[in-house]
Amino acid sequence: MRTATLWATLATGLLSMLLLDDGLAVNLLLVAVPASLAAFFAGRAAGRRAHAWALVWGIGGIGLLSVPALRDADWPSFLAVVTAIGLGSIALQGGRSWPAVLLGPIGVLNSVVLGPAWGWRGLRERFGSARRGVGVGLRALVVTAVLLLVFGALFAGADAAFANLLSDLMPDASVSGGPWHVVLLVLGLVGALAVAHTAAAPARWDRVVVPAGRPRNRVEWALPLVVLVVLFAAFNAVQLVVLFGGYDAVLKKNGQSYADYARQGFWQLLIVTLLTLLVVVFALRWAPRDGVGDRNLVRGVLGTLCGLTLVVVASAVRRMDMYVDAYGLTRLRVSVVAGELWLGLVIVLIMAAGVWGARWLPRAVAVSAAAGVLAFGLMSPDALIAERNVQRYEETGQGGKTPKFDLEYAQELSADAVPALDKLKEPMRSCALSSVAEDLATDDKPWYATSWGEVRAREILRDHPLVTTGYSSVCTQMAIEQMYR
């Protein structure tokens, strides 16, 4: 272990202790920088070189960590952070096979146990003995802290502007939060050591050999799939008839509304897509492999099944669009549609692998997942939900009709939705923004824990303040009306 790795690890722990107490935003990127440097120094000391794909995974992970810095909503930020951890594990360990892509995080978890012991050995090697090294470090930290406190307090007392600058820039290190700060310090140190140890001694998942399945007879393999293809074709034919014949005739015959028709089918079609992927995986495992004829049979049957599944994906998305027209857009609905679209992309990649080979498929699926999560976070789902529901509110209110708007749900959205909700007319605007405005007014997080979505929302609310006088009863009445409408 090089001294640079130790310093980068210490910097990660200190930044975690000072910056991560108030939430996640830019501070997550600031903590990730020294942790990445620790991995780089440890990998170089172990004789590893950074390959092009490792840079791709690493840059992708850093890009995903920008989502909490841009968006106030917690749910896309959580998804982005989890995906960034997965990409980081692939960057640290490398690999191009399915075990390397799917099992990468296990190697990092193993380093969580081995990393601290490895770091302690490196600390003893660099400083001679543990007692002397710890003593030198503690004395240096104590002297530094005393100098900063004494001179910082004197300068703050001499000038009010400098005192305000210190209060804005310095993280909160109050005694009341001492135990939690210690926990953050330990987590930062352990995390950085785990990352560095993984870079120095990666798990070689590419060496894991997945035994091939026993090939089946053509009839035994193809007959169930051909029957399934016929079933898919019949369902898709009905979908096309309904599409060109019009939904009205079908709905009138079955006595259904648009919303009932969409709700009845979307979840079933989503499950169909997932099950089809499983069928393709197991079919490839047991596919006949005796010659060119068998390969052509596999490509023809599975390619047809995948093509028909894409029509099912389109039908599911169309049904959800109908359901949104009837009841509005929500977080669950936008999430499952995004998931369905990604499953459709995976099916396209499988079809391409059947033509050009499957060597690149694991990496392509991982890249598509990371790109989808990043795009999902950057497009700001809460803002998209608010914008779509505001548009629906305006469209349904035309011609003297009663507009449809879920006020209670709008009040649950994050600060990312403020720009779209700001377009509403009073009193609906003030009612929809009241909860967000109250949260922002009582939120005093420092700059490094504040997202760009919160900053933008504060600017909008400052330039166009809410009209709150006498609106409490009006908002309550509107919420009740919308609930029973």
Side-chain angles (χ1 to χ4, degrees), residues 19 25 30 34 47 121 124 146 181 187 200 216 237 271 325 338 350 360 415 454:
L19 301 182
L30 297 177
R121 291 195 303 270
R124 296 186 62 177
V146 170
H181 289 155
L187 290 177
R216 304 292 178 175
I271 296 174
D325 286 339
I350 292 175
W360 51 269
E454 293 174 282

Side-chain angles (χ1 to χ4, degrees), residues 305-430:
L305 180 61
C306 289
L308 294 174
T309 305
L310 291 178
V311 181
V312 172
V313 171
S315 178
V317 173
R318 171 56 183 155
R319 287 170 184 264
M320 180 54 70
D321 184 58
M322 295 168 57
Y323 194 63
V324 169
D325 286 339
Y327 292 107
L329 190 60
T330 64
R331 290 172 173 175
L332 176 61
R333 293 163 194 167
V334 72
S335 300
V336 294
V337 168
E340 179 74 3
L341 291 175
W342 178 72
L343 292 176
L345 177 59
V346 172
I347 292 173
V348 172
L349 293 176
I350 292 175
M351 296 174 68
V355 178
W356 293 296
R359 183 180 179 84
W360 51 269
L361 184 60
R363 287 178 173 177
V365 172
V367 168
S368 68
V373 172
L374 180 59
F376 188 72
L378 294 181
M379 77 176 184
S380 186
D382 276 13
L384 179 64
I385 292 168
E387 184 175 355
R388 180 66 183 86
N389 290 342
V390 169
Q391 180 184 2
R392 175 174 172 268
Y393 174 73
E394 295 173 349
E395 292 175 351
T396 55
Q398 295 178 356
K401 299 180 181 179
T402 303
K404 298 179 180 179
F405 188 78
D406 193 339
L407 177 59
E408 185 177 0
Y409 191 84
Q411 292 174 339
E412 298 176 357
L413 297 176
S414 65
D416 299 330
V418 170
L421 296 177
D422 185 60
K423 301 176 183 178
L424 291 168
K425 296 181 181 180
E426 298 292 356
M428 184 65 78
R429 172 184 176 272
S430 294

Side-chain angles (χ1 to χ4, degrees), residues 74 154 190 211 220 258 357 362 370 435:
D74 294 333
L154 290 174
V190 173
E220 182 184 5
Y258 281 98
S435 297

Side-chain angles (χ1 to χ4, degrees), residues 29 32-33 35-37 39-40 50-66 80 83-94 195 367 370 374:
L29 285 170
V33 171
S36 302
L37 290 176
F40 174 76
H51 297 285
W53 272 103
L55 295 177
V56 171
W57 301 127
I59 293 173
I62 295 297
L64 285 165
L65 293 182
S66 67
T83 308
I85 293 174
L87 286 189
S89 67
I90 302 176
L92 293 171
Q93 299 172 104
V195 167
V367 168
L374 180 59

Side-chain angles (χ1 to χ4, degrees), residues 210-269:
V210 180
R214 182 173 64 86
R216 304 292 178 175
N217 181 273
R218 283 191 180 187
V219 176
E220 182 184 5
W221 179 88
L223 181 60
L225 294 177
V226 170
V227 174
L228 186 61
V229 166
V230 173
L231 178 63
F232 270 62
F235 176 81
N236 290 336
V238 173
Q239 298 304 295
L240 294 176
V241 170
V242 172
L243 177 63
F244 291 105
Y247 287 100
D248 293 335
V250 176
L251 298 180
K252 183 177 180 180
K253 180 180 179 180
N254 296 327
Q256 291 179 306
S257 64
Y258 281 98
D260 294 334
Y261 181 79
R263 180 171 51 191
Q264 179 188 24
F266 174 80
W267 295 105
Q268 289 89 334
L269 296 183

